[in-house]
Amino acid sequence: KTVLVVDDEEDVREYLTMALEDAGFEVQMAANGNEALEKIRERAPDFISLDLVMPEKSGIKLLHELRRNRAWRNIPFVIVTAHAGDDLGKGDLEEIMSQKTFSGPSAYLEKPVKPEQYVAFVCEQLGIEGVEGTETKDVDLREQLQELIDSADKEKLAEALKILREK
């Protein structure tokens, strides 16, 4: 299945894409609603992960365009936002969640999202079984990282941290 990840923050796009690719999805990315529309015209995805607050064309404006097009109106989506409770996104989110304008997700995900929660939601909405081992993989990576930190030279770690803070 193909998922289109639409978010104006590059690090968020990369983070969500990595989670989906690790779960076996093919992923397209777009930085705003206009770019997303171009990608959808080229090849409609099976699912859309959508930020609400973006420059050029917001998530809700993109959804309005998708719902006017017969070929795209039934593409399932999830809203992934950091603006669920503020003036920037609250009204749009309430409109979407009321399902008066859109038949959309029964839930939204608030940033920051956990990769396993995100992938599980996408799988559920697409009606496919989740990818086993995603949570275990995250735990294994954390354990490996903690082991490296525990065994590392404390002075070198402090020096590396200082360099990172300077950038």
Side-chain angles (χ1 to χ4, degrees):
K1 300 279 185 182
T2 302
V3 178
L4 175 60
V5 174
V6 187
D7 199 296
D8 60 320
E9 295 178 59
E10 183 177 2
D11 57 335
V12 173
R13 282 193 313 272
E14 293 291 335
Y15 175 78
L16 297 176
T17 294
M18 188 168 49
L20 290 166
E21 287 177 342
D22 285 350
F25 288 96
E26 183 179 324
V27 182
Q28 299 175 328
M29 292 188 283
N32 58 58
N34 288 331
E35 197 176 306
L37 207 49
E38 288 176 29
K39 301 266 183 185
I40 293 165
R41 284 185 183 120
E42 291 170 15
R43 180 175 168 220
D46 298 300
F47 190 85
I48 299 173
S49 173
L50 184 61
D51 187 15
L52 281 180
V53 180
M54 296 180 290
E56 295 185 39
K57 185 182 298 269
S58 69
I60 190 118
K61 287 181 182 176
L62 174 63
L63 285 174
H64 281 292
E65 284 196 46
L66 295 179
R67 294 311 179 241
R68 285 193 300 259
N69 184 304
R70 284 186 160 182
W72 304 331
R73 72 171 47 137
N74 294 320
I75 298 173
F77 65 93
V78 64
I79 300 298
V80 181
T81 185
H83 299 286
D86 66 25
D87 291 341
L88 291 174
K90 187 176 181 181
D92 289 346
L93 187 61
E94 286 173 357
E95 178 181 342
I96 293 166
M97 298 307 290
S98 72
Q99 297 190 359
K100 290 178 183 167
T101 307
F102 307 102
S103 64
S106 57
Y108 62 92
L109 301 175
E110 198 158 348
K111 294 176 185 175
V113 296
K114 293 181 179 175
E116 59 274 3
Q117 175 193 22
Y118 178 68
V119 170
F121 188 87
V122 172
C123 289
E124 178 185 320
Q125 296 299 306
L126 287 171
I128 58 178
E129 286 192 33
V131 177
E132 292 191 28
T134 306
E135 281 186 50
T136 308
K137 184 177 178 181
D138 291 339
V139 171
D140 290 344
L141 289 174
R142 279 190 226 114
E143 288 174 359
Q144 288 176 22
L145 182 58
Q146 190 61 52
E147 286 175 19
L148 287 171
I149 291 170
D150 292 343
S151 65
D153 180 309
K154 301 301 178 197
E155 288 179 20
K156 288 186 178 183
L157 277 177
E159 188 176 315
L161 186 59
K162 181 182 176 190
I163 291 169
L164 288 171
R165 285 184 176 147
E166 290 173 358
K167 291 189 176 206

